[in-house]
Amino acid sequence: MKKLASLGFVLAFWGAWQVAFAQQGLIDGQVTKVDPSASKITIKHGPIPRLDMDIGMTMVFAVSDPKMLTTVKAGDRIKFDADRVNGQLTVTKLQKAR
Ligand SMILES: [Cu+2]
């Protein structure tokens, strides 16, 4: 019984860790420009090693869903995730940082 309880604890801990890790995976950035007509957003961001960006920069991203662009404006601090979609760097997740 004791063994079962500790297994439950380990599983709960693992789950919480996964959630924390997923949130940490988001990239910090600041919106410098939103262009709904082109479905593009310009973001100033820090290094993103997994996208081969070893230094911070300001750059234009496409968005996976144009609705994202209605939730932020220039100057907003954000957390986002990006990936290469059809060879184009695309924001796949976007939320305001608090
Ligand atoms: Cu970049």
Side-chain angles (χ1 to χ4, degrees):
M1 197 61 202
K2 206 172 179 187
K3 222 173 190 173
L4 209 64
S6 63
L7 182 66
F9 177 77
V10 167
L11 285 176
F13 183 77
W14 174 252
W17 187 80
Q18 291 276 293
V19 169
F21 185 77
Q23 281 170 351
Q24 266 181 8
L26 291 176
I27 306 153
D28 288 306
Q30 185 171 23
V31 179
T32 60
K33 192 181 162 195
V34 179
D35 186 351
S37 62
S39 291
K40 298 241 157 113
I41 184 167
T42 309
I43 301 172
K44 189 174 153 190
H45 69 76
I48 317 173
R50 76 188 142 88
L51 291 176
D52 300 322
M53 296 184 214
D54 296 327
I55 52 164
M57 67 187 86
T58 301
M59 62 183 288
V60 179
F61 290 87
V63 289
S64 60
D65 180 357
K67 276 189 219 138
M68 285 176 181
L69 299 180
T70 63
T71 63
V72 293
K73 60 183 188 317
D76 282 351
R77 297 210 157 267
I78 54 166
K79 285 192 177 288
F80 70 103
D81 201 3
D83 218 333
R84 278 181 219 281
V85 179
N86 300 323
Q88 196 174 27
L89 281 164
T90 304
V91 174
T92 54
K93 264 185 219 161
L94 180 63
Q95 65 188 55
K96 274 197 197 192
R98 47 189 124 199

